Amino acid sequence: MHRVDGKRMRPIWLDDDGRTVKVIDQRWLPHRMEILALTTVEQVIDAIQQMVVRGAPLIGVTGAYGVLVALRTSTDENAFLDACDRVKAARPTAVNLAWAVDRVVARAMAAPPGDARIETVIHEAGQITEEEVDRCRRIGEHGARIITDISRTKNGRTVHLLTHCNAGWLACVEWGTATAPVYVAHEMGIDLHVWVDETRPLNQGARLTAWELGRAGIAHTVITDNAGGHLMQRGMVDLVVVGTDRTTYTGDVANKIGTYLKALAARDNQVPFYVALPSSTFDWELRDGLGQIPIEERHADEVHFVQGKRDGAIARVRVSPADSPAANPAFDVTPARLVTAFITERGVCAASEEAIMGLFPEKKNKRRAQGLV
Ligand code: MRU
């Protein structure tokens, strides 16, 4: 478990009272560590939408605990189901949210109302949390082998990995997805260094990934989002590893805006481009990433303003002219053809329907049973 100032920490946990969901408020990191308590459905939805919590697996876990909050605060079953639907719709792109809410709601409805239902929901949300931790640790083990192989071909010289956004433990409970191979390789003593894309507009890379890696003692350098192609042309990147918010069963990858450009630059420079994800981030229903994955459009002010620390306080400053409009698509889709391979909890596979279904045959059987293949 990751330590912050010597204290073991996760980005989310259920308080001992069994009803209050505690989260790290990621909006203020790295400058301030603040914990928020969520006790109402509105607070849960707001935390997801305002990106107090963010990152696909963590949004899923928050949704799972959101079902508990909904159950504790709803007056009847209709109100409960309606509240769960609202939690599920809080952000559109990360498929983990709907996946986790649906799973916990299904368990809840199969249990008798009252205390038994509450206990079922607590258990299921906890189960999802621990399963995600386990999946991320396995992603780390499989991904670390890729890093080790590169280290070997470089005779132990530093392996340079580039990542985009924050796909670390803050986004996933523990280990992260894209960062899990980094943490495991670091534990194994591999000499590595991470290029951290700042990831405008909200700077998840510069604020969160850099903070995580720094706390773990991992060598890293923050770069502008536009620097990656240049570094790849100069042979300064050995591999790219990113996370994803939703990946189709055919291998198209939605991830933080700017990921596609990194994939293009990687292809042009023969740099391997890996996507690390738990099975909860595959969308087993969608075939066509570009046409079918909903892309969140966020508020223009996230583009107009940047946040930082000035004179000890967190401040926001305007970058663009007061009368210029801005557009803020939060994710893009990298087509499967640009992905070297996926790193999943079950191992590494090519970005194709055949290879993905080969790793997860039960999903193929389910689609077959539904008459979809
Ligand atoms: O808008 P965010 O910060 O929720 O976006 C997060 C990302 O795009 C991550 O790269 C993705 O969720 C993978 S996290 C394990």
Side-chain angles (χ1 to χ4, degrees):
M1 194 181 287
H2 294 269
R3 290 179 182 274
V4 180
D5 299 330
K7 229 173 87 186
R8 292 152 77 89
M9 275 205 105
R10 283 180 168 183
I12 190 166
W13 64 96
L14 181 63
D15 206 50
D16 290 342
D17 66 5
R19 58 178 66 241
T20 308
V21 181
K22 296 267 181 77
V23 293
I24 295 179
D25 189 341
Q26 300 192 22
R27 294 172 300 177
W28 316 122
L29 287 173
H31 306 301
R32 199 161 75 211
M33 171 58 77
E34 214 169 274
I35 309 299
L36 269 191
L38 312 176
T39 53
T40 69
V41 169
E42 295 320 314
Q43 287 170 342
V44 171
I45 292 171
D46 205 52
I48 295 172
Q49 288 178 340
Q50 300 305 317
M51 293 171 64
V52 168
V53 287
R54 26 108 1 240
L58 179 60
I59 294 175
V61 170
T62 308
Y65 280 112
V67 175
L68 174 66
V69 173
L71 187 60
R72 289 227 185 249
T73 55
S74 298
T75 45
D76 59 39
E77 216 161 89
N78 283 340
F80 165 61
L81 292 174
D82 177 68
C84 293
D85 279 345
R86 287 188 292 119
V87 170
K88 199 170 138 179
R91 283 188 81 189
T93 304
V95 71
N96 302 57
L97 178 57
W99 168 83
V101 170
D102 284 345
R103 178 170 148 178
V104 183
V105 168
R107 282 300 174 110
M109 297 312 283
D115 287 349
R117 186 170 283 176
I118 288 172
E119 282 313 312
T120 301
V121 168
I122 290 177
H123 179 265
E124 196 63 14
Q127 190 70 23
I128 287 177
T129 309
E130 299 312 321
E131 285 172 15
E132 291 295 44
V133 170
D134 183 59
R135 283 193 270 261
C136 286
R137 168 74 205 183
R138 285 169 200 271
I139 287 169
E141 284 159 8
H142 295 300
R145 260 176 242 133
I146 294 170
I147 297 175
T148 310
D149 286 347
I150 294 174
S151 169
R152 210 170 291 129
T153 60
K154 292 186 77 173
N155 293 321
R157 278 179 291 119
T158 312
V159 176
H160 296 279
L161 182 150
L162 184 144
T163 193
H164 191 69
C165 197
N166 171 261
W169 65 265
L170 284 167
C172 304
V173 186
E174 287 191 28
W175 300 105
T177 54
T179 59
V182 171
Y183 288 127
V184 175
H186 179 70
E187 275 182 2
M188 292 164 71
I190 303 287
D191 184 356
L192 83 160
H193 162 263
V194 182
W195 297 110
V196 179
D197 281 355
E198 61 178 347
T199 319
R200 272 284 278 154
L202 292 179
N203 289 318
Q204 288 94 328
R207 294 189 303 108
L208 306 175
T209 305
W211 181 77
E212 275 195 28
L213 295 175
R215 303 280 77 64
I218 293 170
H220 63 282
T221 307
V222 178
I223 53 174
T224 64
D225 291 323
N226 300 322
H230 166 80
L231 297 174
M232 290 185 215
Q233 282 178 323
R234 307 224 157 197
M236 295 164 78
V237 181
D238 295 303
L239 75 165
V240 178
V241 186
V242 297
T244 166
D245 290 80
R246 187 188 299 233
T247 288
T248 64
Y249 67 84
T250 56
D252 293 340
V253 172
N255 192 45
K256 181 52 57 192
I257 193 80
T259 301
Y260 171 51
L261 288 175
K262 293 298 131 64
L264 285 173
R267 176 54 56 94
D268 194 44
N269 292 283
Q270 294 88 49
V271 171
F273 182 91
Y274 292 98
V275 177
L277 75 165
S279 49
S280 53
T281 307
F282 277 111
D283 188 324
W284 303 102
E285 309 285 318
L286 296 194
R287 160 169 287 280
D288 167 24
L290 263 183
Q292 294 180 297
I293 298 179
I295 299 295
E296 179 180 16
E297 183 75 32
R298 292 188 61 85
H299 202 285
D301 278 358
E302 293 179 355
V303 177
H304 288 308
F305 293 87
V306 284
Q307 175 181 291
K309 190 174 178 183
R310 191 176 52 196
D311 301 332
I314 292 176
R316 245 171 123 233
V317 292
R318 174 124 194 162
V319 177
S320 51
D323 55 357
S324 289
N328 190 9
F331 300 93
D332 60 24
V333 175
T334 299
R337 66 186 155 77
L338 295 177
V339 177
T340 304
F342 291 117
I343 309 170
T344 79
E345 73 267 22
R346 292 207 188 152
V348 176
C349 75
S352 69
E353 177 177 349
E354 199 189 355
I356 294 166
M357 291 302 188
L359 266 192
F360 297 94
E362 72 278 18
K363 301 294 179 188
K364 189 169 185 178
N365 296 339
K366 192 172 166 203
R367 289 180 64 76
R368 199 173 279 141
Q370 290 169 333
L372 296 170
V373 281

